[in-house]
Structures are given as structure tokens and as C-alpha cells.
Amino acid sequence: MNTETNLTEDNKLTKADIQTKESQQAENTISEEASFEEPKKRRPILPFLLCAPLLCLLIAYLAGAFYYQNHFVNGTVIDQVDVSKMTIADLEAQIQDYSLRVLQRQADGTTLEEEILGADIGLSYSSTEPIQEILKSQNNWLWFLNQENTHEIADLIDYDAASLEAEIKNLKGFDKDFVTAPEDAYITDYEPEKGFQMVEEVPGNKLNHSKTLETIGTAVAELAEEVNLDEAGCYEEPEITVENEALKNTFAQLQSYAETTITYTFGSQKEILDGSTISSWLDTEGTQVTLDKEQVGEYVSSLKKKYDTIFHPRTFRTSYGTEITIKNGDYGWWMDTEQETAELTEMIEQGKSGERTPVYRQTAASYDTPDYGDTYVEINLSAQHLFLYKDGQMILESDFVSGNVSRGYTTPGGIFGLTYKQRDATLTGETYRTPVSYWMPFNNNIGMHDATWRRDFGKDIYLTNGSHGCINLPYSAAKEIYGHIEKGTPVICYYLPGTEYVPEAEMPIDPDNPENAVTEDTPQEDLPQEEAPPEPVQQEEAPVEEAAQ
């Protein structure tokens, strides 16, 4: 029993072991088969990985080609409107919802925005057939490229022109109360302390109707979203701005005139000519500025009238203490108005400021009264006596002989300027030719000179035995006077009643000195005698220098 039992158990173990082994062998066989078959399953993976992206690209490409069968490819422009990726339905919807923003300029320069709706102007496509033809003709197989297809279709967009014009007229920019007209830049009139000023242009915001209508019509036809009327040049602009070269040149000229200051000095008096006066002499036509020379001449004439002293009466206090009025003579300030006008005009036109001395035909010693100053020759024709003053001091006095009254050669009174002075001159006339050492003319051919042929001077010699009008002087007196005077030195001639020579025979006898009286018994040789002048010569033999003797 036991043996059998044990055998049975051994058999059982053996079977179990056998089964186990078989099971293990089966597993091993399966495992070996599996390990043998695994490489066969991995072989298709690499081709799949390579084909997958291409498949995706193919799908995307085909999807794009399908998409662009009814969509416009990229780069498609119809009448300047980019319709890329749009369908015809999208275009029609765009038309229905279309509005145009109109940007307008306000008077202060800011921007005002208004809208024009497509629905209000009857906006539509005149026909979609041309658009459909474009869609059909496009190469949708090359949809991935920017094909830059540009098309122009005449009269594609349709709208009611009258409605559009009505909408444009209703814009704020055409409201009279809103509009400011443009104004040109300009130059103001002269103002004291400011001169001339440049005023900038006013751009304004006045629309040009035809230009505005054209610009907005074009924007609508192109289905533009916005139009800036300022940038499109729809506003009327000033013709002249501050940058206008002609205006700037005119302003520069006017400023030059306004900034010019010319000062005349007449002794203690000054005359200042500046922009306030000069500006009134300017004629401006457009951009041309002209200085009115007639007004310049009138100004110079006013100075002449105010400050010239030639031919004007003047008072003179004689060495005898008597004050007289001298009306004759050509001494004094004498302005050359014609030349001064020309030079002053040139100075103003060149914008030159500064001190100015007028152009004179003749000058005087002083601008202040008296104009003859304090250096002059005083000639009393009544007393036949002269005085020489220098810097207010009398430095010489002398008798002389003047023009022969009986023969009509009376020396005229008046105030004159020394014309010139000359040594060793020859005086000539119709009947004489006389050499002198010191010749000092002052009134045409009348002058002072030495008269060595005379033995006596003064008294009443001039009445019957005088000169041809000249002032005959002793040699020493003529020499000294010649040394102290120059061209222009005043020579003042006058007659002073009460200072005439009175012969001693006619004078009352001084009881204390009766021997000084001249009587009929006085020997003639003791009286002053007149020496005869040189013999006369013919005028044609005379030299160029002419003067009264």
C-alpha cells in the first residue's frame, strides 16, 4: 500500500513536473516565436513617419485649392481694393455695410470727422459678372503664392451721383457758419516802437466744391474706408504765405527802411530822420517797394528853409556900439538841395544809419546865431575904417579907400565870405591893369588889397577919388589881414550914418587948441594927396584874373 502510494505520488510528481516542463517549454517556444516575429512588426514605422508630413501638406494644399475656388487668392486687387480671401458674397456684403469717414479741417486746425453711408447714396455693384470672371480665371492651385493680380473694371461700383452730391453739400465743411476763408500773409503798416510786422497767413477751412466732389467720388468708387480732405488738397489755400520769397524780400526792404536812423546836427539843434518818417515815403505795390524821392526832396527843402542863412537878414553889433540889420550879401549856409536829396536817397535805400552833414554850396562859420561867428573883417564904409576880429578879439584896425562914389563905383554894403586869397595878383578892368601883393576878393570882383600908389587912406577920399569898388589898404594892413583870414572868412560891409569923416575945416574950433584948425591959409602941400593910378591898358591885354581896383 505504502509502496504503491509512494509510487503513485512519485508518478504524480513526475507528471506534474512533466506538465510544468511542458508548460515552460511552451512558454519558451512562444517567447522564442515572439522574439523571432518582433522585428517584422517595426519595419513599416519609418516610411510612415516620412509620409505623414507630406500627407498633411497634401491635405492642406488640397484644402487651400478647394478654399480658393470661391475665394480670391492673395494679392488680388480690383479697382484698387484688396479683395484677398474674400468671396463675391463678402464683396456684396461689404457694399451693403459700406461707409466713408470724411476727415475735415476745422478753422482752428483740428480735425472733424463725418460719415457718408453707402446706403444713402445707393451704392452697389453695377454687375458681379466681371468679378466672377476674375474668380474663375485665377489659378487656385497656386493659392499659396502672392499672385499680385491687379484688375481694373470700368464702372464696377455704382452709386447715385445726385445723392452723393447732396450728402457732400450736407457736410459741415460747407456750412457758412463753420467756414473761415483763407487769408494771405501780409505786412502791417509801420507802427512806432514796432516798425513793420509780418502777419502769418490764415489757412481757413473753405472747401473747393468741385475738388471735394471729385475726391469723395473717387474714394467711394475705390470703397476707401477714409478720406482726408486736407491731405487730398480740397481746401482753398492762401496764395501768399510767410515763406513766400517775394514777401520775405519786401519785408526785409521795409525793415531796412524802418531801422534806418540818420541824424543831422545844426549847431545845438538836431534833426533825426528815422523809420517813422521814412515809412511815409514808401510806395508799396504788390511786393515792390519804392522810395518816393519827391518826398525826400521836400524833407531836404524843409531843412534848407529852417537852417540856411544865406540871403537872410541878420543883426550885427558894430565896433561903434550900434546894432544894425544887414540885409544884403551872399554869406551864410547854403544847402545844395539837389545833391543832398540824391545822396540822402541813396543812404536811405542802402539802409545806412549814422550822422550826416548836408551837401552845401557854401558854408558859414557857425550854425548858431550869429552865423558869422567871432572871426571876421568889419568894414565901415561910412567911416572908411575897418576892424579885424579873431576869436572875438580885435587884432587890427585901419583906414581904407573904397569905391569912387562920384563915378558910380560905390562899394555895396552886405555880408560876404572871402572867396579866396592870392599873393602877387594882377587886377584888371576895362581901363586898368594893376599888380598887387595881397589880393583878397569877397564880393565877385570886389576885394581887399594893398594900394601902394596911395599916400593917404580914410577920410572922404572915396567920394571923388575912390577905387573901382575895392577896399584899398595900406600895404602893412593888407599884409597883416592876409595872414589872419582864410577862404570863407566873413567880410561885413555896412554904412553907418553919423560915423562919416568930417573935414577939420568944418569942425568946430576947439578953444583950447585953435592951432589945429584947417583954414584956407593952410599950405596945400601939407594936405594928403592922392596918387594917380597906373595908366589904363586895353581889356584884351589883361590876364584872366579880373577884379575891381
Side-chain angles (χ1 to χ4, degrees):
M1 285 293 291
N2 291 335
T3 302
E4 292 176 356
T5 303
N6 289 337
L7 290 168
T8 303
E9 288 176 357
D10 289 339
N11 292 334
K12 288 180 182 179
L13 288 168
T14 302
K15 290 179 180 179
D17 292 336
I18 292 169
Q19 290 175 353
T20 301
K21 289 180 179 179
E22 290 175 352
S23 176
Q24 289 177 347
Q25 289 175 356
E27 289 177 359
N28 291 334
T29 301
I30 293 170
S31 176
E32 289 175 0
E33 291 176 355
S35 61
F36 179 77
E37 292 176 356
E38 186 174 355
K40 294 181 181 179
K41 291 181 180 179
R42 290 178 180 175
R43 287 176 185 173
I45 292 176
L46 181 59
F48 177 78
L49 291 175
L50 293 174
C51 293
L54 295 175
L55 182 62
C56 291
L57 287 174
L58 177 61
I59 293 171
Y61 170 74
L62 293 174
F66 176 78
Y67 176 84
Y68 282 103
Q69 282 184 337
N70 56 6
H71 291 77
F72 292 102
V73 295
N74 288 326
T76 304
V77 176
I78 300 176
D79 286 350
Q80 301 182 29
V81 177
D82 188 350
V83 296
S84 301
K85 298 181 181 180
M86 296 179 69
T87 65
I88 292 176
D90 291 336
L91 294 179
E92 290 179 325
Q94 184 186 53
I95 286 289
Q96 295 299 318
D97 298 333
Y98 176 77
S99 66
L100 176 65
R101 292 193 304 276
V102 182
L103 304 183
Q104 303 164 72
R105 181 204 299 168
Q106 300 194 90
D108 61 0
T110 58
T111 301
L112 169 70
E113 181 179 317
E114 293 185 272
E115 281 189 335
I116 295 178
L117 302 178
D120 293 337
I121 60 175
L123 188 67
S124 65
Y125 284 111
S126 57
S127 173
T128 60
E129 290 183 7
I131 303 175
Q132 292 172 354
E133 291 297 326
I134 293 172
L135 187 61
K136 290 177 182 178
S137 65
Q138 71 181 8
N139 190 346
N140 56 306
W141 296 108
L142 297 176
W143 61 267
F144 53 87
L145 298 176
N146 190 328
Q147 299 185 27
E148 297 184 358
N149 295 325
T150 301
H151 305 274
E152 295 290 337
I153 303 175
D155 302 324
L156 178 62
I157 302 299
D158 192 20
Y159 59 84
D160 183 59
S163 297
L164 178 60
E165 186 170 1
E167 289 296 313
I168 291 173
K169 286 184 178 179
N170 287 331
L171 292 174
K172 194 77 171 176
F174 286 103
D175 186 340
K176 291 182 179 179
D177 295 332
F178 178 80
V179 173
T180 298
E183 297 179 9
D184 289 340
Y186 67 96
I187 302 169
T188 65
D189 291 335
Y190 179 89
E191 294 182 26
E193 307 299 330
K194 293 183 178 180
F196 294 97
Q197 298 291 315
M198 178 88 81
V199 178
E200 291 187 356
E201 68 278 5
V202 176
N205 62 336
K206 185 178 180 180
L207 286 167
N208 180 291
H209 181 269
S210 60
K211 179 66 175 176
T212 304
L213 187 62
E214 177 188 354
T215 299
I216 293 179
T218 301
V220 170
E222 296 173 357
L223 297 180
E225 295 180 357
E226 177 181 287
V227 61
N228 189 316
L229 299 183
D230 198 356
E231 294 177 357
C234 294
Y235 288 94
E236 294 185 4
E237 301 291 349
E239 293 182 5
I240 300 175
T241 70
V242 292
E243 297 304 319
N244 181 278
E245 288 299 324
L247 185 66
K248 289 196 291 187
N249 290 338
T250 299
F251 182 64
Q253 274 189 284
L254 291 173
Q255 284 290 80
S256 176
Y257 286 126
E259 294 170 359
T260 299
T261 300
I262 299 171
T263 303
Y264 288 92
T265 302
F266 299 93
S268 59
Q269 301 294 316
K270 289 186 180 295
E271 295 288 341
I272 299 177
L273 176 62
D274 57 20
S276 60
T277 300
I278 296 173
S279 62
S280 66
W281 299 345
L282 304 177
D283 294 326
T284 305
E285 292 185 10
T287 57
Q288 298 297 317
V289 180
T290 305
L291 180 64
D292 190 338
K293 295 181 181 180
E294 288 188 7
Q295 294 194 63
V296 179
E298 290 175 4
Y299 175 78
V300 172
S301 294
S302 71
L303 296 181
K304 175 182 176 67
K305 183 177 181 181
K306 187 174 181 179
Y307 294 104
D308 269 14
T309 57
I310 190 171
F311 308 128
H312 288 196
R314 50 179 63 73
T315 59
F316 175 70
R317 178 169 292 277
T318 70
S319 297
Y320 301 87
T322 304
E323 189 172 88
I324 61 175
T325 298
I326 300 176
K327 298 181 179 179
N328 300 325
D330 60 4
Y331 181 82
W333 295 103
W334 185 10
M335 193 181 298
D336 187 336
T337 54
E338 182 177 351
Q339 187 61 31
E340 177 58 21
T341 298
E343 292 190 16
L344 178 59
T345 298
E346 182 180 2
M347 189 173 182
I348 295 172
E349 289 179 335
Q350 293 178 355
K352 292 183 178 179
S353 297
E355 297 283 337
R356 176 160 186 83
T357 299
V359 179
Y360 285 104
R361 295 177 183 274
Q362 177 179 288
T363 61
S366 172
Y367 280 112
D368 295 320
T369 303
D371 64 345
Y372 48 80
D374 55 9
T375 295
Y376 53 86
V377 178
E378 175 186 348
I379 299 176
N380 184 345
L381 295 167
S382 296
Q384 295 286 286
H385 195 73
L386 65 73
F387 307 87
L388 173 61
Y389 284 86
K390 189 168 185 177
D391 299 326
Q393 299 295 319
M394 186 181 70
I395 61 173
L396 177 145
E397 59 178 310
S398 171
D399 287 337
F400 61 84
V401 175
S402 63
N404 191 323
V405 175
S406 64
R407 298 182 60 185
Y409 296 142
T410 303
T411 303
I415 180 168
F416 310 92
L418 190 70
T419 309
Y420 62 92
K421 63 180 186 177
Q422 180 182 349
R423 284 295 313 271
D424 301 322
T426 299
L427 311 181
T428 64
E430 294 182 357
T431 59
Y432 62 87
R433 181 182 181 190
T434 306
V436 296
S437 298
Y438 302 97
W439 170 230
M440 297 165 280
F442 57 84
N443 178 12
N444 295 319
N445 61 346
I446 295 176
M448 298 176 285
H449 61 81
D450 54 297
T452 54
W453 59 88
R454 292 187 182 275
R455 294 190 308 178
D456 202 3
F457 298 86
K459 305 182 178 61
D460 58 359
I461 300 171
Y462 74 104
L463 294 176
T464 58
N465 194 21
S467 69
H468 286 83
C470 284
I471 305 300
N472 290 181
L473 291 165
Y475 181 89
S476 58
K479 178 180 179 180
E480 186 171 355
I481 293 172
Y482 188 94
H484 288 290
I485 64 176
E486 300 295 336
K487 177 182 178 180
T489 300
V491 178
I492 304 172
C493 303
Y494 62 87
Y495 288 89
L496 183 61
T499 61
E500 301 90 343
Y501 168 74
V502 178
E504 293 183 359
E506 300 178 5
M507 295 179 64
I509 297 175
D510 184 350
D512 297 327
N513 297 289
E515 66 277 5
N516 292 334
V518 178
T519 66
E520 294 181 357
D521 297 330
T522 303
Q524 292 297 315
E525 58 270 14
D526 295 335
L527 295 176
Q529 299 295 318
E530 194 65 35
E531 181 177 319
E535 293 186 7
V537 296
Q538 297 300 318
Q539 179 63 34
E540 55 269 17
E541 298 176 7
V544 176
E545 293 283 354
E546 288 192 6
Q549 183 184 6

